[in-house]
Amino acid sequence: MDHLSEHPIPSSRPYGDEGPLGEPNGCLPPDRTQAILEAAKRIGSLLKAKDHPFALAGGVAAYAHGAVVRLQHDADFCIRREDADAVTRTLREAGLEVFLPPEDWLVKARCLGQDVDLILELAKRPVTSELLDRAEVLPVDSVHMPVLAATDMVSALLAAFSEHHCDFGAVLAVVRPLREKIDWRRIRAERGQAPMPAAFLYLLERLQVIEPEGAGS
């Protein structure tokens, strides 16, 4: 999620070049995907240690569920709005930089040279305890943490489709390996009336990823 902050965000530094985090200088990951995973693991560990309710979201969540993704932008976490101040305090006490962007539905941070989005609203809906309670604890490399349920994750991906952003190919790569974990009845009920999600669901039917609506009933 590439959003501009009202405060200047420092330029990216080499991975591991952040003294307050205790990481050795010059320890480069093999690629950007690994760098983002390391940032996600660090943030997840900090939030777990303080018992903050949260769930991993976005591309790293898809990775944790088993989709083959190439991470390029940031690590996303869902937190409740009422927990934002406490989460911000935890991250700053750990030496991370935290920024308040103009958008009022997220908080941004920097960890190990990577951007991190702390999302307060998912698909224009507030992050709730119910959403976080549905999260599944999964390993992200070596760190176990709550990850958005596959249905919630895909519902948010479809809600993001618009005339200006409609990358069916990227989302297809996520849903195809996860199709057995997704409640497609709920997806259709939540997103099937909007034109772009409806077109994507039709594509999934034609590709035989999912059955047509009503099949087998």
Side-chain angles (χ1 to χ4, degrees):
M1 297 186 180
D2 299 322
H3 301 279
L4 296 177
S5 169
E6 63 182 6
H7 304 292
I9 296 179
S11 59
S12 297
R13 289 172 288 183
Y15 174 82
D17 192 29
E18 302 193 39
L21 298 180
E23 299 294 337
N25 293 333
C27 182
L28 294 174
D31 53 34
R32 183 70 183 277
T33 290
Q34 191 61 40
I36 293 172
L37 288 175
E38 293 298 331
K41 288 159 57 178
R42 174 66 173 165
I43 297 290
S45 296
L46 290 171
L47 299 183
K48 283 173 55 180
K50 295 292 186 177
D51 292 324
H52 293 303
F54 75 96
L56 185 65
V60 188
Y63 171 91
H65 276 291
V68 179
V69 295
R70 184 180 179 188
L71 305 175
Q72 291 293 312
H73 300 294
D74 51 28
D76 298 321
F77 290 83
C78 288
I79 63 171
R80 301 178 305 183
R81 186 175 292 275
E82 58 264 35
D83 299 323
D85 288 343
V87 168
T88 296
R89 185 164 54 251
T90 291
L91 299 185
R92 283 179 171 156
E93 287 174 353
L96 276 66
E97 297 168 295
V98 182
F99 307 89
L100 300 177
E103 298 87 353
D104 64 356
W105 53 270
L106 84 162
V107 177
K108 295 185 76 71
R110 293 280 293 177
C111 179
L112 300 175
Q114 305 303 314
D115 291 328
V116 176
D117 284 354
L118 304 163
I119 301 168
L120 312 177
E121 295 182 11
L122 186 69
K124 300 183 180 180
R125 298 175 183 175
V127 172
T128 62
S129 297
E130 291 74 19
L131 176 73
L132 300 183
D133 287 344
R134 290 195 298 268
E136 183 179 355
V137 176
L138 297 172
V140 179
D141 281 355
S142 58
V143 177
H144 285 73
M145 68 181 73
V147 178
L148 275 184
T151 300
D152 290 318
M153 181 183 67
V154 171
S155 181
L157 289 174
L158 268 61
F161 285 151
S162 71
E163 291 84 352
H164 303 290
H165 173 79
C166 197
D167 188 351
F168 282 4
V171 180
L172 176 62
V174 171
V175 304
R176 192 192 292 271
L178 306 183
R179 60 187 180 274
E180 300 297 333
K181 302 179 69 172
I182 298 165
D183 183 346
W184 292 106
R185 186 186 301 271
R186 190 180 131 204
I187 293 290
R188 284 189 168 102
E190 291 182 352
R191 307 300 176 195
Q193 299 305 309
M196 298 301 179
F200 182 70
L201 291 170
Y202 177 69
L203 174 65
L204 293 182
E205 293 174 2
R206 292 299 304 270
L207 293 175
Q208 300 183 334
V209 175
I210 62 175
E211 292 186 348
E213 187 173 11
S217 61

